[in-house]
Amino acid sequence: MPSFTLISHPLCPYVQRAVISLTEKGVAFERRTIDLAAKPGWFLELSPTGKVPVLVVDGTPVFESAVILEYLEDTVAPALHPADPLVRAEHRAFMEFGSSILSDIAVLYSTQDDNLFESKSQELERKIGRIEARLVARPWFDGPRFSLVDAVYGPIFRYFDLFETIGDFDILSNKPKVATDEGYKDRLRAFVAARGSVLSAMALQPQA
Ligand SMILES: N[C@@H](CCC(=O)N[C@@H](CS)C(=O)NCC(=O)O)C(=O)O
């Protein structure tokens, strides 16, 4: 097995999809985190785009998350893509769609323009509606079996956990297949609160 180093940033959803694939395949790798606000010279030497993730395989830098995922599919079992070529093509198409959703999310959290914020919010609502329509059953994209496309959507849905605590975006409303379990956070809080621990006392504090 070659040596793998993943050049990372802790909050990057494109890095997270690579981490999910490596982890699902049981690959040992070193994770090297960089400051994207002050990119080190050695990183700019490795990465023509100046973006993370970069997977360094035995000294060869592989950049672009989609390419990293395909390389891992080509070289490391188990396969995470479905075997059927047409289903695989459909999954790849939805992975691209996931990247376009990430671009919308980046605008949503960056823009200072109220109109653009509103239109991106509506665009996201529409796109997540397409995912909802495609899903067959929980918990994964294709029901019971985890596949590579899920490595793209997991990091996407982590944003909505935060957005829900900031405001009512209606992005997940009336979409039971993609909705996060609304009772889960409260049940987990009650469980932690009942432990009699330091964290319990914190969990029992009234929320802001
Ligand atoms: N298309 C790239 C996108 C990666 C990307 O946007 N990475 C962001 C962090 S999440 C980045 O490195 N940004 C730094 C920059 O643009 O200067 C991929 O799929 O790998």
Side-chain angles (χ1 to χ4, degrees):
M1 184 72 80
S3 77
F4 294 104
T5 303
L6 188 67
I7 317 298
S8 305
H9 182 275
L11 293 178
C12 176
Y14 301 95
V15 167
Q16 287 161 9
R17 53 173 78 165
V19 170
I20 292 170
S21 168
L22 287 159
T23 306
E24 287 291 324
K25 288 171 180 287
V27 173
F29 65 101
E30 184 195 341
R31 191 166 174 165
R32 196 162 173 191
T33 299
I34 61 159
D35 180 356
L36 287 173
K39 296 172 189 167
W42 62 261
F43 168 70
L44 293 171
E45 288 285 318
L46 282 182
S47 171
T49 60
K51 294 179 187 221
V52 291
V54 176
L55 184 66
V56 184
V57 185
D58 279 345
T60 300
V62 181
F63 58 98
E64 283 297 321
S65 62
V67 178
I68 293 170
L69 295 183
E70 290 298 335
Y71 166 75
L72 292 171
E73 281 301 284
D74 285 347
T75 56
V76 190
L80 300 176
H81 261 322
D84 181 278
L86 183 55
V87 182
R88 196 160 64 237
E90 193 216 9
H91 279 215
R92 285 189 173 122
F94 270 98
M95 289 165 76
E96 279 294 315
F97 191 54
S99 293
S100 86
I101 290 174
L102 283 174
S103 299
D104 293 335
I105 288 174
V107 174
L108 192 77
Y109 65 64
S110 307
T111 186
Q112 299 183 352
D113 177 328
D114 288 337
N115 292 332
L116 185 56
F117 177 85
E118 188 50 41
S119 70
K120 278 294 158 190
S121 181
Q122 285 171 11
E123 181 69 352
L124 274 169
E125 203 276 330
R126 184 191 70 78
K127 287 185 176 175
I128 299 299
R130 295 301 297 252
I131 304 298
E132 170 76 12
R134 165 57 182 77
L135 294 185
V136 185
R138 293 167 76 109
W140 305 113
F141 191 80
D142 263 340
R145 183 182 182 273
F146 176 88
S147 38
L148 198 54
V149 65
D150 294 300
V152 168
Y153 283 94
I156 288 174
F157 282 96
R158 291 180 81 179
Y159 283 99
F160 298 127
D161 286 342
L162 173 69
F163 293 166
E164 276 175 19
T165 68
I166 297 174
D168 189 3
F169 290 93
D170 276 346
I171 291 172
L172 301 185
S173 300
N174 304 316
K175 300 183 186 68
K177 294 200 209 92
V178 296
T180 50
D181 177 355
E182 284 188 11
Y184 184 85
K185 210 176 354 169
D186 290 341
R187 284 202 297 278
L188 185 59
R189 176 176 286 276
F191 170 83
V192 169
R195 299 297 97 184
S197 65
V198 173
L199 192 61
S200 306
M202 292 165 70
L204 287 166
Q205 295 285 321
Q207 288 182 272

